[in-house]
Amino acid sequence: MAEAWDFLRTDKMPHIWCPGCGHGVMMNALLRTMAKLDVNKDDICVVSGIGCASRLPGYLDFNTLHTTHGRALAFATGIKLANPRLKVIVVSGDGDATAIGGNHLIHAARRNMDITLICMNNNIYGMTNGQYSPMTPTSMLATTAPYGNLERNFDLCKLVEGCGANYVARATAAHPRNISQYIEYALTHKGFQFVEVMTQCPTYYGRRNKLGGPVEMINSLKQNTILNTAAAKLPPEKLEGKIQIGEFVKKEELTYLDRFDAMVDRITGGVKP
Amino acid sequence: MADRLRLMQGNEACALAAAMAGVRFFAGYPITPSTEIAEQMSEMLPKLGGKFIQMEDEIASMAAIVGASLAGMKSMTATSGPGFSLKQENIGFATFTEVPCVVVNVQRTGPSTGLPTNTAQGDMMQAKYGSHGDIPAIALYPSTVPEIFDMTIKAINISEMLRQPVILLMDEIIAHMREKILVPTQEEVDKMLVSRPKPAKGIDKYLPYDASMSDVPPLAAYGEGYRFHVTGLYHDATGFPTSKPAEVDAKIRRIHRKVNNVVDDITFLRYDQMDDAEYAIVSCGSTARSARRAVVLAREKGIKVGSLQLKTIWPFPEAKVSEVCSKVKKVIVPEMNMGQMVHEVERVAKGRCKVVPYNRVDGEPLTPEEILETLAKEVAW
Amino acid sequence: MRKELRLSGSGGQGLITAGIILAEAAMRDGLEAVQTQSYGPEARGGAAKAEVILSDAEVDYPKVTSPDYILAMTPIACDRYGCNIKPGAKLVVDEDLVPNAPDSKHCYKFPITKISKEITGRPLSANIVALGVLNELFKFVSPERLEEAVRQRVPKASVEDNVRALNEGIRYTREKMQDK
């Protein structure tokens, strides 16, 4: 039985993340899931774009690709189609996936492309020192929103659900078991599998918005979230200001590759080229 | 034989050549005048065990072919001016991470949306300098349908051989015209093909950028058991980021050197009536066809002129153009742009002959008569 | 030998297909052939134009600059391309569709679309009738190769109709020229 440790490129440590960053919690949960599933390292490909979260693949002992800003899903699409045997996982930050990569996000989900996307949402562009992203809540501060953010943020899970993904779930760095559970589901199912993981960025987002240190931010993630199944039983006024976590979509609709394979069968009369 | 003799459109010849040369992944986005290439690929590839996908934008289609190539498939995309601009960042990524792929750019009149879909040659410099940083660009540019077939295969081969993107330039005229071609048999094509260098089987540690044996390190495919890392950051032999000045310097110099070392092998030219020429016309693409006609017309008037067609644009065939410049009095450089390749010719001529630009920029084909007029003026002057 | 042809009219008249068929027939006859079509402002307003160059040597410049043969299937096409032709060039028009055709010994008038309707019941084969007329008048390619090219290019269901249209174009032209 493999251990989480076995999937790390330990010689690439230390990682670049700041003390107290929530991304490591996600990586830990991902590795534990890999160990539990006892995956063959050679069959896993992890792709990222640009940003703090996108440094993650470098630490993992899989086939790994660190691409251009926002484009990870497009590179991953090419990899998956060229070699469908590979389990392709994209890890991204919120700026990477929802701003510059927003177009690729909605279309990968719409195609129900056989890719797992894990978006580490820390509400900020961390690598460039704290500019606001499409996931920065309204009126919060950032270096490019010194008077408060004017824009509204996405409900990312609703967005991806609307695009037609087979699986949509959200957890936070304060809920590592949920992260593992959702990633396990995502890695063992076909089609577009989306897991949003809310993480804390004490260095830029937390400090500028006076949200306290890592501990306070983790506590706040814990206190301000509610499981969607529990939320369903509460009146709307009790949900004010709460972030819902949980599994929002669990479908097994035909994926892009299902349809592609069926098309090939149809046009070749079942004779594999 | 009968069905190999075909009247074929330029774009169709490009797609067919790619499929016969083993391209099995194509990602594209619709844009005139290149769309027929995507249409042909969408029809052929699924039947050949390949994959076609129409991506959400030009950037994504460039990204997808790089991903597919890393997973081991020969990959290609095709576009035109505005799309070529959008692809540049990922062309730079592929060049820097040394991932083979072919990008076809069927030039149309720019800047911006320009004149869809009139002909032009405005992207000559973009093919070299389009991406940021120092890119060792390779760009080929055919002028006839049989040449399109041939240069498509050459572009794929060079890209595989050197582990880097190759740009195949065309223009609207040659992309859309139909012309006679004798399509080679699959066996004939197979004999021409070159594959990317692969790591030896059963090695302990694979280093994706280990250039100790060759400036073109072997490239494994994802899923073959090597679990290597690829990044657009400066990287060392292992593929992982480095900022050590010596390693940074070595990386950028090597990717230029690997192209410079094979310039002669990847320089393709066509000479017409250059043996006794006192004047030369240096051109490429459909304009080279106008130049050849102008040579015929001028020779009828007793002007000793010849034509040099550059089928390789980048790296610029310096030695061969220099040779021409040392032999003739004047060189005419007709282009359907404001003057791009003419600067390269001037640079190489080093004042030994007069270099005369002729530019047509109204979206219409540059005619033989215009070249002849320009030439006649220069002869009389 | 370099012959430049311009087939002009409006979209839907099948002129590009006609250009391709002629070029393919020429190719099978051992000639060099290039076919192009125009886009841009010229092609607006439903105008369509196909150009073919036939040559016994490599075709260098692929565009038609001063056509030797012009087919005009609409009044606009005749105005634009048929009224100012170079000396010795030949103009062929559909006599029912192009009332503005010049009266000149270089202008040949044929009921092209009418023949198509009579033979096939529809105007759709006018392009093929025109090919028959043009080739009978000017002998670009062998009739056998032309028929072969028609059979290969037109939709399967309409092969026989189109071959009859081609042959009627040829027969009509032969008779009319004999009468002259």
Side-chain angles (χ1 to χ4, degrees):
Chain A
M1 179 75 185
E3 301 221 16
W5 201 252
D6 298 336
F7 299 102
L8 266 184
R9 285 169 174 153
T10 47
D11 59 327
K12 301 303 165 196
M13 297 293 150
H15 58 68
I16 66 153
W17 297 320
C18 304
C21 171
H23 289 357
V25 176
M26 197 299 288
M27 185 161 86
N28 187 330
L30 174 65
L31 291 174
R32 284 171 192 276
T33 311
M34 294 291 196
K36 185 177 172 198
L37 295 173
D38 203 17
V39 297
N40 180 346
K41 292 181 190 182
D42 294 335
D43 295 340
I44 307 283
C45 184
V46 186
V47 186
S48 66
I50 294 292
C52 297
S54 293
R55 290 303 189 90
L56 192 149
Y59 309 130
L60 305 183
D61 190 16
F62 302 119
N63 303 282
T64 53
L65 176 62
H66 176 213
T67 72
T68 48
H69 200 15
R71 318 303 171 195
L73 279 169
F75 281 87
T77 297
I79 294 169
K80 184 66 189 181
L81 295 183
N83 185 354
R85 279 191 311 105
L86 288 169
K87 174 66 69 183
V88 180
I89 303 164
V90 171
V91 291
S92 76
D94 47 301
D96 198 45
T98 70
I100 189 165
N103 200 26
H104 313 307
L105 171 65
I106 62 176
H107 290 284
R110 175 183 61 80
R111 292 185 184 107
N112 210 10
M113 188 56 70
D114 300 74
I115 289 174
T116 296
L117 171 63
I118 303 168
C119 178
M120 284 161 269
N121 167 18
N122 61 4
N123 312 102
I124 203 85
Y125 285 89
M127 186 157 271
T128 46
N129 301 1
Q131 297 74 32
Y132 72 92
S133 88
M135 297 308 295
T136 306
T138 311
S139 74
M140 297 306 276
L141 299 173
T143 61
T144 46
Y147 312 115
N149 181 23
L150 301 177
E151 302 180 16
R152 299 178 300 176
N153 58 304
F154 279 124
D155 182 328
L156 201 42
C157 287
K158 279 189 179 157
L159 173 70
V160 177
E161 176 181 359
C163 296
N166 257 0
Y167 182 68
V168 178
R170 179 189 287 131
T172 83
H175 305 82
R177 287 212 183 88
N178 296 64
I179 304 177
S180 285
Q181 181 201 332
Y182 303 159
I183 290 177
E184 182 178 341
Y185 182 93
L187 292 181
T188 50
H189 289 80
K190 296 194 300 178
F192 196 72
Q193 309 282 323
F194 177 68
V195 181
E196 176 185 354
V197 179
M198 300 188 65
T199 58
Q200 73 281 5
C201 172
T203 305
Y204 294 111
Y205 187 68
R207 188 181 296 162
R208 183 166 286 264
N209 286 293
K210 302 196 168 39
L211 301 176
V215 175
E216 288 77 19
M217 290 183 79
I218 283 276
N219 279 334
S220 147
L221 281 175
K222 204 176 269 177
Q223 284 151 15
N224 291 331
T225 49
I226 180 165
L227 204 59
N228 60 339
T229 45
K233 295 169 191 154
L234 294 175
E237 60 271 16
K238 293 244 176 183
L239 296 173
E240 196 98 336
K242 292 275 186 193
I243 296 161
Q244 294 195 29
I245 60 170
E247 296 173 297
F248 301 100
V249 178
K250 248 181 169 173
K251 297 189 295 196
E252 299 203 19
E253 290 185 357
L254 287 180
T255 73
Y256 182 91
L257 278 167
D258 290 338
R259 291 178 194 276
F260 189 91
D261 291 343
M263 175 188 76
V264 171
D265 280 348
R266 178 160 49 82
I267 61 179
T268 60
V271 184
K272 279 270 172 274
Chain B
M1 173 82 179
D3 57 339
R4 287 171 47 215
L5 186 68
R6 304 263 302 272
L7 184 79
M8 198 180 285
Q9 200 184 48
N11 280 338
E12 197 187 341
C14 177
L16 181 62
M20 290 180 77
V23 167
R24 288 296 176 269
F25 185 83
F26 185 100
Y29 186 82
I31 185 166
T32 318
S34 78
T35 306
E36 291 87 355
I37 299 175
E39 289 171 344
Q40 293 282 327
M41 292 308 254
S42 72
E43 193 182 329
M44 286 188 288
L45 287 184
K47 295 179 185 164
L48 296 170
K51 297 263 172 33
F52 166 91
I53 186 166
Q54 182 173 306
M55 292 299 282
E56 54 275 18
D57 59 34
E58 296 278 3
I59 299 170
S61 49
M62 187 62 218
I65 68 163
V66 177
S69 183
L70 277 167
M73 269 188 178
K74 284 186 183 178
S75 304
M76 183 168 114
T77 184
T79 187
S80 181
F84 193 51
S85 299
L86 284 166
K87 290 185 191 299
Q88 291 300 332
E89 185 193 9
N90 285 336
I91 292 175
F93 180 87
T95 311
F96 192 51
T97 55
E98 303 181 68
V99 180
C101 55
V102 171
V103 181
V104 182
N105 173 20
V106 182
Q107 295 171 93
R108 69 185 214 193
T109 315
S112 191
T113 313
L115 287 176
T117 170
N118 290 46
T119 194
Q121 299 181 305
D123 309 345
M124 313 297 293
M125 288 295 163
Q126 192 185 15
K128 180 169 174 60
Y129 296 112
S131 199
H132 62 282
D134 286 312
I135 297 294
I138 301 174
L140 309 181
Y141 191 176
S143 74
T144 69
V145 170
E147 269 179 24
I148 290 171
F149 192 95
D150 181 49
M151 304 301 277
T152 301
I153 294 174
K154 285 192 163 75
I156 295 160
N157 279 347
I158 294 168
S159 132
E160 292 285 317
M161 179 178 83
L162 295 181
R163 267 187 76 172
Q164 85 152 36
V166 172
I167 312 297
L168 183 69
L169 286 173
M170 300 213 261
D171 57 58
E172 187 276 336
I173 295 177
I174 59 166
H176 274 160
M177 60 182 252
R178 289 181 178 84
E179 192 168 24
K180 185 169 97 175
I181 178 173
L182 183 65
V183 179
T185 63
Q186 186 61 55
E187 290 70 35
E188 285 166 345
V189 171
D190 287 345
K191 277 183 206 149
M192 297 181 225
L193 298 183
V194 178
S195 290
R196 61 188 70 176
K198 302 280 286 183
K201 287 231 160 59
I203 51 169
D204 284 347
K205 187 70 192 157
Y206 166 62
L207 302 176
Y209 300 97
D210 175 12
S212 56
M213 302 296 281
S214 160
D215 281 336
V216 188
L219 178 60
Y222 283 155
E224 284 181 337
Y226 294 110
R227 302 195 306 278
F228 58 102
H229 186 61
V230 172
T231 174
L233 289 163
Y234 265 93
H235 41 269
D236 60 17
T238 66
F240 286 92
T242 180
S243 52
K244 290 181 188 146
E247 288 176 348
V248 168
D249 183 87
K251 166 79 193 191
I252 188 69
R253 287 186 192 280
R254 176 175 63 75
I255 62 171
H256 282 262
R257 191 169 60 238
K258 74 177 178 183
V259 175
N260 293 337
N261 280 349
V262 296
V263 165
D264 289 344
D265 302 328
I266 61 173
T267 294
F268 306 105
L269 304 163
R270 173 175 166 171
Y271 295 87
D272 282 88
Q273 311 222 43
M274 280 302 300
D275 288 345
D276 63 341
E278 295 172 359
Y279 302 88
I281 306 166
V282 175
S283 60
C284 46
S286 65
T287 305
R289 302 177 70 122
S290 307
R292 290 199 274 276
R293 183 89 202 132
V295 166
V296 172
L297 298 173
R299 289 262 170 183
E300 283 169 8
K301 293 179 192 289
I303 303 172
K304 286 191 173 170
V305 60
S307 154
L308 170 60
Q309 178 201 349
L310 310 180
K311 297 191 208 175
T312 300
I313 302 301
W314 307 114
F316 188 72
E318 293 188 7
K320 300 293 181 184
V321 174
S322 173
E323 205 175 282
V324 165
C325 291
S326 71
K327 285 183 185 158
V328 300
K329 295 178 191 163
K330 294 181 183 181
V331 177
I332 314 283
V333 185
E335 300 181 79
M336 295 186 289
N337 56 40
M338 290 294 286
Q340 298 193 11
M341 296 316 285
V342 69
H343 299 304
E344 287 296 300
V345 179
E346 267 168 1
R347 180 174 67 78
V348 168
K350 293 193 169 74
R352 285 171 298 168
C353 64
K354 186 180 174 191
V355 178
V356 184
Y358 178 79
N359 312 103
R360 180 152 195 176
V361 287
D362 61 353
E364 294 298 311
L366 194 155
T367 67
E369 288 73 19
E370 295 169 83
I371 301 176
L372 183 62
E373 245 174 68
T374 310
L375 177 66
K377 263 186 232 158
E378 291 299 324
V379 172
W381 197 63
Chain C
M1 181 277 279
R2 177 183 164 111
K3 292 176 184 167
E4 298 191 351
L5 282 85
R6 177 172 288 152
L7 313 178
S8 59
S10 66
Q13 286 182 321
L15 295 166
I16 289 165
T17 305
I20 293 172
I21 290 171
L22 183 62
E24 279 180 339
M27 187 186 77
R28 285 163 211 267
D29 249 356
L31 292 172
E32 297 293 329
V34 169
Q35 183 271 332
T36 59
Q37 56 222 47
S38 72
Y39 296 85
E42 273 194 352
R44 278 195 206 134
K49 185 177 77 169
E51 297 180 334
V52 180
I53 295 169
L54 306 176
S55 174
D56 52 6
E58 183 192 28
V59 175
D60 36 43
Y61 186 60
K63 293 279 183 177
V64 165
T65 44
S66 51
D68 304 289
Y69 306 92
I70 301 118
L71 171 71
M73 295 289 287
T74 62
I76 293 171
C78 186
D79 269 346
R80 195 175 285 165
Y81 306 117
C83 293
N84 197 10
I85 59 179
K86 73 176 178 187
K90 314 287 186 192
L91 171 67
V92 176
V93 301
D94 185 312
E95 63 185 30
D96 303 306
L97 300 182
V98 186
N100 54 332
D103 285 318
S104 134
K105 68 180 166 91
H106 297 299
C107 180
Y108 300 79
K109 300 176 183 178
F110 287 86
I112 293 169
T113 306
K114 197 169 144 200
I115 293 175
S116 169
K117 283 184 194 158
E118 277 169 10
I119 294 297
T120 70
R122 295 189 299 174
L124 290 176
S125 297
N127 59 340
I128 306 299
V129 175
L131 278 181
V133 171
L134 284 166
N135 200 50
E136 182 58 25
L137 284 172
F138 310 118
K139 315 286 185 201
F140 297 119
V141 295
S142 66
E144 295 79 17
R145 296 293 94 76
L146 188 58
E147 185 179 319
E148 257 175 46
V150 168
R151 285 181 181 278
Q152 292 226 343
R153 248 319 144 168
V154 301
K156 272 205 182 90
S158 67
V159 167
E160 293 313 320
D161 270 0
N162 277 301
V163 169
R164 284 193 295 127
L166 177 74
N167 289 329
E168 181 57 17
I170 295 169
R171 192 203 59 78
Y172 186 94
T173 307
R174 191 180 298 149
E175 249 173 43
K176 180 166 175 178
M177 297 316 283
Q178 274 168 1
D179 292 348
K180 273 193 176 174

